[in-house]
Amino acid sequence: MSICAPEGSTVEMPCRYTYPATWNSVSISVERRYWFVKKNKNNQPVDLRSDPEYSGRVKYLFDQNVCTLQIKNLRKTDSAEYKFRFITNHERGRYTGSHAVTLTVTDLQVKVVSSTSDPSHTCVSLRCHSECDPPYSSFVWFNNKQKIHTGIDYKERINPGDEIWCTLEGFEDYRSASVYAPKSSSVSVSPPGDITEGRSVNLTCVSDANPAATYTWYKKNENVLKASGPVWTITEIRPEHSGDYYCEAQNIFGSQTSTVSLNIKSDSAAIIKIAAIPVITVFLVAVLLFAVFCIWRKRRSKQQSDGGQKTDNESQLVEDPDYENTSAAAQRSPAEQQHVFYASVRFTKNKADALYSSATAAQPRPQRQDEETMEYSTINISRGKHQEAVEDSDLLYSTVTKTHKK
């Protein structure tokens, strides 16, 4: 005997047995009866009620010659051969049923054999699949809880909103999973909240569908495929990505779309950073140029100072404060008195007049030992174009006599 039952259901294996009332003038009585699947290490059958795998799920429906077995909440691992055994008071009274019951626990599935579709509906050929061997022929088909067909195959048009499943006859409460077009589709955005320019955004599309749906992404008013798959990642999102997008979830029974709007905000901080780059660059270049200029100026000043040292030394005799003491000149030696410098400076207030200065070294001349060293300064100052010639030729002479103390 074979029984095929869906997973999770309850099955009963009907059983009856007989035995002789007496044997060799000895009255026979049954002392023990039970079902078993496997044997222990001593090759003795194990009572299902003592098997931990069946704990709480096995029940013996015994009554006189009735030996029915009930198993609840069937599992795939319950698929096996089950045998009944009873033991009498006779020394040879151990009996096992000659026939076993083969139990196959299956999970029913609706499989698509073929399909054709047009804009209005889809026509499919379906098969109720099980692990029963041979295939169980008593299948029942339902559409939205209404019984529509009996048999292993079902071929009919499918309309939007239809939900179809199959069961084994006698186990209508334990049906297969339904097949249907996508429904309850939705799109989520991660991370949630405001979308800032330059960041990555994940758009995720989900729907309830069997068979599982495939997903495609489009932007409204653009007939261009943007992406495929349940998750679309947009890296470095920009303001031009703003707009309405929709995800289309589709399987063999139909499709459904879900829409989401993206509003991309400019990242002011990023814009400031980008704008600051040329400013910082210009600033660094300016600092570099300024440093170079300071170095150049310092070197130039040093060169001018070194070049002008000799001139300053030559004019020291005129500018040296020691010469302000008029008695110092008289104390100089004759050799020192031979060096007399004349300075002639002319100043003019008119642009046309030239500003010049000249310094000449006088030829040494014989001097008396007591002759005083004199310096002459001649200054000619022009007082303007409208001054008289006499005034232009006026000379101001100043004589300073310096003597050296002896």
Side-chain angles (χ1 to χ4, degrees), residues 15-21 30 64-67 84 86 88 95:
C15 171
R16 294 183 68 88
Y17 69 99
T18 60
Y19 60 92
V30 176
Q64 295 184 353
N65 294 339
V66 176
C67 51
F84 174 71
F86 69 94
T88 67
Y95 304 96

Side-chain angles (χ1 to χ4, degrees), residues 242-259:
S242 297
D244 294 332
Y245 295 84
Y246 66 90
C247 165
E248 182 179 28
Q250 185 176 23
N251 67 8
I252 195 171
F253 299 107
S255 63
Q256 188 179 48
T257 60
S258 184
T259 306

Side-chain angles (χ1 to χ4, degrees), residues 215-236:
Y215 300 93
T216 50
W217 297 86
Y218 300 89
K219 187 174 184 179
K220 279 193 174 182
N221 303 322
E222 294 183 9
N223 295 324
V224 179
L225 176 66
K226 294 295 184 180
S228 59
V231 179
W232 177 22
T233 300
I234 306 176
T235 58
E236 296 184 0

Side-chain angles (χ1 to χ4, degrees), residues 130-145:
S130 72
E131 296 178 357
C132 298
D133 187 23
Y136 204 94
S137 59
S138 298
F139 290 100
V140 181
W141 292 87
F142 289 82
N143 185 356
N144 293 328
K145 300 181 181 181

Side-chain angles (χ1 to χ4, degrees), residues 8 13-14 48 86 132 148-149 151 154-155 165 180 182 188 215 229 257 299 315 321 331-332 357 361 369 371 393:
M13 301 177 189
L48 284 180
F86 69 94
C132 298
I148 57 175
H149 182 68
Y154 172 73
K155 184 176 182 180
W165 67 86
Y180 48 91
S188 61
Y215 300 93
T257 60
R299 291 181 179 178
S315 61
Q331 299 178 6
R332 288 188 178 184
S357 65
Q369 186 173 359
E371 185 179 0
S393 60

